[in-house]
Amino acid sequence: MTDQTQRRNIRFTVVVVLLFITVIVAGFVYRIQQPRVMSGTEMKVNGLYLHETPRNFGEISLIDHHGEVFDRSRFEGKWSLVFFGFTYCPDVCPTTMAFLDQFMAQLEGTEAEDTQVVMVSVDPARDTVEQLSQYVPYFNPDFIGVTGEFLDVHRFATALNTPFRKVPGQDENYLVDHSSNVVLINPKGDYHGFFKAPLDQAKMKVTYRSARVHWDY
């Protein structure tokens, strides 16, 4: 073997080794840049409780803040964050709605495109379509406000394990006790789980992403 051939073989070997190292380093950098996917236990510790099998909550017949029918089909094809509140709520509701607006602002790409926020009124007697149309878009023009007959709202809330009740012994300026959890409904329109209050932006973002990844597979 000539010296020229040996040098060529050495150069080839060096190039192969360098390419191998480059691939390994690039793979490592890619992995550490990817958001970590949490296990079910980790998600629960961080406030997201998922059902082993998502639950079909049945049919609903409500109305949105545009005056259009809001039924089960409105959940299909999107991930939905559902909050039960009311427009006369003095603190928890506006705080949660502002939180969800900030949360949505952090989402990018597909996550932002196929996620919707729905506020269902637990005070349908006062939260008319007109009232919701003034309240909900204030926090985010893409949010959806929902109201309807009391029994229809109550059945829906019960199916999503979100109880509420009017505080007794008050006048027309009454309050309504309700959960401040945020329900997660998957793109099949099934009750997937819920984010337990108090909510945290960083924890909710990573648990939401993890839930989507687990469901995709």
Side-chain angles (χ1 to χ4, degrees):
M1 180 181 296
T2 66
D3 290 343
Q4 185 177 2
T5 301
Q6 286 181 328
R7 286 196 295 272
R8 187 164 52 245
N9 289 341
I10 291 172
R11 284 198 298 270
F12 177 77
T13 301
V14 170
V15 169
V16 170
V17 171
L18 289 175
L19 284 174
F20 178 75
I21 293 174
T22 301
V23 170
I24 295 298
V25 171
F28 175 75
V29 171
Y30 175 79
R31 284 196 298 273
I32 64 175
Q33 289 179 338
Q34 297 307 299
R36 191 172 70 84
V37 177
M38 290 183 168
S39 67
T41 300
E42 289 176 315
M43 284 188 279
K44 187 174 182 179
V45 169
N46 284 276
L48 174 56
Y49 292 70
L50 297 178
H51 300 305
E52 281 192 28
T53 302
R55 304 174 184 176
N56 184 326
F57 53 80
E59 296 300 322
I60 58 173
S61 180
L62 301 170
I63 187 168
D64 70 15
H65 72 276
H66 296 295
E68 299 176 355
V69 172
F70 190 92
D71 55 19
R72 184 184 176 84
S73 68
R74 298 286 292 274
F75 290 115
E76 296 172 357
K78 286 182 174 288
W79 286 91
S80 301
L81 303 173
V82 181
F83 172 66
F84 286 81
F86 63 112
T87 64
Y88 291 86
C89 177
D91 41 35
V92 174
C93 300
T95 299
T96 303
M97 293 289 280
F99 175 95
L100 291 172
D101 176 55
Q102 294 170 9
F103 178 77
M104 290 295 294
Q106 296 182 59
L107 301 183
E108 300 176 349
T110 302
E111 287 183 354
E113 294 169 4
D114 67 4
T115 302
Q116 65 180 358
V117 173
V118 179
M119 178 188 138
V120 181
S121 174
V122 295
D123 183 21
R126 292 184 296 185
D127 285 344
T128 61
V129 169
E130 181 180 4
Q131 177 71 10
L132 285 175
S133 69
Q134 296 175 8
Y135 182 85
V136 175
Y138 171 80
F139 296 96
N140 189 306
D142 294 325
F143 285 6
I144 303 171
V146 174
T147 188
E149 296 296 325
F150 176 82
L151 289 179
D152 292 330
V153 172
H154 189 271
R155 277 193 292 266
F156 184 39
T158 300
L160 298 181
N161 302 118
T162 312
F164 66 89
R165 70 181 184 89
K166 179 179 176 182
V167 177
Q170 299 185 74
D171 55 21
E172 66 275 5
N173 297 316
Y174 60 85
L175 297 177
V176 180
D177 279 338
H178 62 93
S179 169
S180 52
N181 295 338
V182 172
V183 173
L184 179 63
I185 295 178
N186 66 39
K188 286 186 176 179
D190 292 331
Y191 176 22
H192 205 72
F194 65 92
F195 296 91
K196 185 174 177 61
L199 305 173
D200 177 276
Q201 290 286 352
K203 290 180 179 179
M204 186 167 172
K205 184 176 180 180
V206 70
T207 53
Y208 176 54
R209 177 176 288 120
S210 297
R212 290 171 58 108
V213 171
H214 282 293
W215 189 76
D216 285 343
Y217 290 94

